[in-house]
Amino acid sequence: MECADLGHLVFLPRGDTALTRRSREESGLSVVVVRFNRRKSRYERQGVLVEEAALARAEARCLADAEARRRRRARDARRRVAEDERFAAAFAAEILRLFPGCPPDRARAIAAHASVRGSGRVGRSAAGRALSEGAVFSAVVAAVRHVDTPYDQLLMSGVSRYEARRRIAPAVESVLRAWLDAGAEAG
């Protein structure tokens, strides 16, 4: 560190976004510290090196407005919960539009599961948020696969994913067809 003329900097570990941002703003020189994760084959951010005086000023600024940031986080969390509820309701309505024979409580359960924020599931993808038919169809197929078939037991017994999906395909198709046909009969 000394030979790179970075010996005067202090390490600030990742985790507090406001403190990191303000420390970098206050510091004349900052360095991002990364570490290679062999298991994931990528670099991961560990923190930053900043000037000690800049870190002290940033900590003072963060302490001064900690209560306001806490209130904003709480308000944002409530807003996100309301948004998630509206999105899950719209997702469930789209499921019922595409699969009219699907029981409403099952459609709500599928929508709630597929639309969990941060889950990486199809409901949170760009297509899912846009309520595209393909994303909704994929979510319904996945739910039927896990709830109405022995798919999970097949995977746990060592059957490959491809083979397990091939084996349960007729059962999934049967449930989907029943949900589609029930809507056709009603309409």
Side-chain angles (χ1 to χ4, degrees):
M1 296 292 280
E2 290 298 328
C3 65
D5 200 25
L6 300 175
H8 66 287
L9 301 178
V10 293
F11 179 69
L12 174 62
R14 67 187 180 133
D16 187 337
T17 308
L19 182 59
T20 300
R21 179 175 33 84
R22 289 174 174 173
S23 295
R24 292 186 73 188
E25 288 171 0
E26 295 281 344
S27 185
L29 175 64
S30 65
V31 178
V32 176
V33 179
V34 295
R35 182 179 191 179
F36 188 73
N37 183 330
R38 283 189 225 146
R39 189 170 50 83
K40 295 181 180 178
S41 297
R42 68 178 186 206
Y43 285 96
E44 294 178 342
R45 187 180 185 135
Q46 301 299 304
V48 294
L49 295 173
V50 293
E51 295 169 345
E52 194 167 358
L55 179 57
R57 288 190 303 270
E59 286 173 335
R61 287 175 57 194
C62 285
L63 282 174
D65 71 348
E67 181 60 26
R69 287 185 296 117
R70 186 196 61 74
R71 284 193 311 267
R72 183 173 46 243
R73 280 193 304 272
R75 186 175 54 246
D76 289 346
R78 287 190 302 273
R79 179 186 46 79
R80 282 191 300 273
V81 166
E83 286 174 359
D84 290 348
E85 288 172 357
R86 284 191 301 274
F87 176 67
F91 203 91
E94 188 64 13
I95 290 171
L96 292 172
R97 185 185 72 77
L98 294 174
F99 297 95
C102 177
D105 58 334
R106 182 74 185 274
R108 285 189 296 276
I110 293 169
H113 182 76
S115 63
V116 172
R117 188 180 292 266
S119 66
R121 295 185 186 117
V122 70
R124 294 312 293 193
S125 67
R129 287 191 310 273
L131 298 175
S132 76
E133 288 188 11
V136 174
F137 186 83
S138 294
V140 172
V141 168
V144 169
R145 180 186 308 131
H146 289 282
V147 174
D148 298 321
T149 69
Y151 178 70
D152 295 322
Q153 289 83 7
L154 289 172
L155 291 180
M156 287 191 277
S157 68
V159 176
S160 73
R161 181 176 307 250
Y162 175 80
E163 178 59 22
R165 288 184 180 198
R166 188 192 65 73
R167 288 184 191 177
I168 63 153
V172 171
E173 186 64 33
S174 168
V175 172
L176 296 179
R177 192 174 305 112
W179 288 354
L180 287 168
D181 291 346
E185 293 169 5

